[in-house]
Amino acid sequence: MNHFLDINKTDPETLRSILTQAQVTKDARQGLPKGTPDADQPLANHMVALIFEKPSTRTRTSFDVGVRQMGGQTMVLSGSDMQLGHGETIADTARVLSRYVDLIMIRTFEEETLLELAEHATVPVINGLTNRTHPCQIMADIMTFEEHRGPIVGKKVVWCGDGNNVCASFLHGAQQFGFDFTFTGPQTLEPEAEFMAAARKAGSKVIVERDPFKAVEGADLIVADTWVSMHDSQTTKERRHNQLRPYQVNDDLMAAAGEQALFMHCLPAHREEEVTSSVMDGPQSVIFDEAENRLHAQKAIMRWCVNG
């Protein structure tokens, strides 16, 4: 069963083949109208369930469009539609859905929900996001970096801010793709020690540097994410802003990194908070290429899930 649950649970050769397929698919679509189906139809006669316990713009749109371009159909289900794990066990939901659909993508809160769904499903399951990781985003990010700067192996990636789920998957990416990773942010918001240790064990140079200006020296890529979640209380938001304000990505920080450094953000962004508009709209920003590549990377992931 080809589940795509996390980058560190998929071998490097498979990850590389997925990115190669993503680029091939993207190149083949150059010049075509956006609604044009792909030349081949690997999801023809396939029904894909897209489950969203968390709201989404890019994940929902990119998966839905990707399935349709590859000849499949989607069934979009919200948490309120399903009451996942409340009225029925997750295991039973997995068994039932597997009788109806050919592939399941889930965007959920707890990692345990994803893992239990995958354990009991008899069709492939894709992690569209959990509170702990966000692997599809990092596949798109690596694809984007390599389009602009070539192979990412040996490069320096700097994460500014909160060591959240996207940061965790970047550490998994360092582990599997062989780039170095520097975290700059408050001690209270560091990424999980387990993830940093695994990347170091795989040979990546993983550094924690409190001074953001020292952290970005010689960076090839600087990445930021939102400081707060829509579910955070006002008190939590204020506390996070106070902790993270020194780690804003602005023109001075990008200048300290140098012209070679790209800037990424998985979006949506709170302009003038974690990053300034001048950086987001500036010459080193590739945020909209990054957003587009969610479509191409996820199409390649789905292709691998159903066809190997």
Side-chain angles (χ1 to χ4, degrees):
M1 189 69 61
N2 290 334
H3 297 310
F4 190 79
L5 303 181
D6 272 314
I7 288 175
N8 65 336
K9 296 177 181 177
T10 308
D11 66 83
E13 293 76 16
T14 296
L15 294 170
R16 177 52 61 188
S17 70
I18 288 172
L19 288 185
T20 299
Q21 179 62 54
Q23 193 63 57
V24 168
T25 302
K26 181 177 181 178
D27 292 345
R29 294 194 60 82
Q30 294 301 312
L32 295 176
K34 293 180 176 60
T36 306
D38 288 358
D40 64 337
Q41 298 282 276
L43 293 184
N45 302 317
H46 284 63
M47 178 63 73
V48 181
L50 306 178
I51 303 173
F52 293 94
E53 286 198 298
K54 283 191 173 187
S56 167
T57 298
R58 274 149 296 278
T59 299
R60 176 169 179 167
T61 305
S62 55
F63 267 107
D64 201 343
V65 170
V67 171
R68 293 167 189 264
Q69 287 181 350
M70 294 195 292
Q73 298 183 62
T74 59
M75 176 187 300
V76 180
L77 301 166
S78 71
S80 59
D81 292 331
M82 303 184 67
Q83 296 184 340
L84 191 65
H86 299 291
E88 180 178 52
T89 67
I90 295 167
D92 286 351
T93 299
R95 295 182 181 105
V96 170
L97 280 179
S98 297
R99 301 294 182 103
Y100 300 147
V101 304
D102 304 287
L103 178 64
I104 300 169
M105 188 288 303
I106 182 167
R107 181 180 175 93
T108 187
F109 292 91
E110 300 304 324
E111 182 184 50
E112 290 76 14
T113 301
L114 167 77
L115 298 179
E116 188 173 353
L117 191 73
E119 179 183 356
H120 295 280
T122 55
V123 299
V125 173
I126 295 173
N127 177 1
L129 176 141
T130 70
N131 286 347
R132 199 175 189 209
T133 59
H134 195 0
C136 292
Q137 180 65 57
I138 273 51
M139 293 295 283
D141 291 355
I142 292 173
M143 178 182 177
T144 305
F145 181 89
E146 294 191 335
E147 283 183 318
H148 288 268
R149 294 289 190 266
I152 198 169
V153 60
K155 300 297 186 181
K156 179 179 178 179
V157 174
V158 179
W159 180 275
C160 294
D162 177 12
N164 63 8
N165 52 357
V166 184
C167 179
S169 285
F170 253 115
L171 279 163
H172 291 162
Q175 176 184 341
Q176 300 293 66
F177 286 94
F179 55 85
D180 296 330
F181 187 88
T182 297
F183 171 81
T184 185
Q187 183 176 3
T188 53
L189 297 175
E190 281 184 10
E192 292 185 39
E194 171 191 339
F195 296 156
M196 292 193 287
R200 289 184 181 119
K201 185 176 180 181
S204 295
K205 186 178 180 181
V206 178
I207 294 173
V208 175
E209 172 57 65
R210 299 287 170 228
D211 185 336
F213 287 89
K214 289 182 181 179
V216 301
E217 290 176 358
D220 298 289
L221 173 62
I222 297 172
V223 192
D225 198 359
T226 54
W227 290 347
V228 297
S229 167
M230 67 183 71
H231 308 286
D232 289 338
S233 68
Q234 187 60 37
T235 301
T236 299
K237 290 178 181 179
E238 291 174 2
R239 184 172 66 249
R240 279 178 164 266
H241 276 92
N242 291 335
Q243 287 181 292
L244 290 164
R245 194 167 288 113
Y247 300 97
Q248 181 192 68
V249 181
N250 51 37
D251 290 333
D252 290 341
L253 195 66
M254 294 302 296
E259 294 182 356
Q260 80 289 340
L262 297 176
F263 173 74
M264 290 189 191
H265 190 301
C266 66
L267 303 179
H270 295 87
R271 288 174 179 257
E272 314 312 327
E273 292 188 9
E274 69 270 10
V275 58
T276 60
S277 290
S278 58
V279 171
M280 288 184 67
D281 301 327
Q284 291 165 274
S285 173
V286 292
I287 58 174
F288 296 112
D289 292 342
E290 180 188 5
E292 177 189 345
N293 284 339
R294 285 288 301 277
L295 170 65
H296 308 297
Q298 288 163 185
K299 286 169 68 175
I301 290 167
M302 289 188 285
R303 181 190 294 263
W304 172 76
C305 284
V306 298
N307 291 335

